[in-house]
């Protein structure tokens, strides 16, 4: 699912290809802030890495620079809330609108802890 979601992102006006995305299940350590890849009973996250070779850098060309290889990595974790006894919360953007499509006068705050 992580790979499928990542390939929906656009780079240079085209979606990422399957070969440009890797996904690894693993364990996030809150103390060391490190992700260790591996499938295990205590796995609590996924790390997705996307890459594309020879990305044209339009502004950099003015400075005489050629295409570059680009890469980005993101890690998602999912078990901190159960460690402190909280319930997971889902925010539905439809809750912000009434039945006529008008914006409701509400404030919604979502605080992500322990890391902002």
């Amino acid at each position: 699912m992580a790979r499928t979601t990542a390939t929906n992102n656009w780079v240079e006006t085209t979606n990422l290809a399957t070969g440009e995305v890797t996904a690894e299940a693993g364990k996030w350590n809150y103390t060391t802030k490190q992700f260790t890849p591996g499938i295990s009973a205590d796995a609590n996250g996924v790390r997705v890495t996307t890459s594309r070779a020879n990305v044209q850098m339009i502004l950099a060309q003015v400075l005489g620079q050629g295409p570059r290889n680009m890469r980005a990595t993101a890690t998602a974790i999912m078990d901190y809330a159960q460690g402190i006894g909280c319930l997971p919360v889902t925010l539905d953007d439809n809750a912000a609108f009434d039945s006529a499509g008008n914006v409701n006068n509400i404030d919604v705050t979502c605080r992500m802890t322990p890391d902002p």
Side-chain angles (χ1 to χ4, degrees):
M1 191 60 170
R3 207 173 298 123
T4 299
T5 301
T7 57
N8 288 326
N9 287 286
W10 280 44
V11 175
E12 296 184 301
T13 69
T14 61
N15 289 70
L16 290 164
T18 302
E20 296 174 320
V21 177
T22 60
E24 306 167 283
K27 173 100 174 112
W28 177 258
N29 183 311
Y30 293 97
T31 305
T32 63
K33 299 188 183 301
Q34 296 290 317
F35 181 83
T36 305
I39 297 174
S40 64
D42 63 346
N44 65 354
V46 63
R47 179 170 60 191
V48 176
T49 302
T50 61
S51 62
R52 178 161 288 173
N54 299 315
V55 175
Q56 294 296 325
M57 309 284 286
I58 295 170
L59 184 58
Q61 289 175 358
V62 174
L63 303 172
Q65 301 292 313
R68 295 283 190 242
N69 296 339
M70 306 295 280
R71 179 179 174 176
T73 300
T75 304
I77 53 177
M78 60 177 255
D79 76 339
Y80 186 72
Q82 46 179 202
I84 59 172
C86 295
L87 296 174
V89 174
T90 301
L91 299 177
D92 182 358
D93 62 344
N94 292 325
F97 300 96
D98 64 19
S99 60
N102 300 312
V103 177
N104 286 327
N105 186 17
I106 61 170
D107 290 325
V108 176
T109 302
C110 180
R111 182 171 175 215
M112 307 303 260
T113 58
D115 296 327

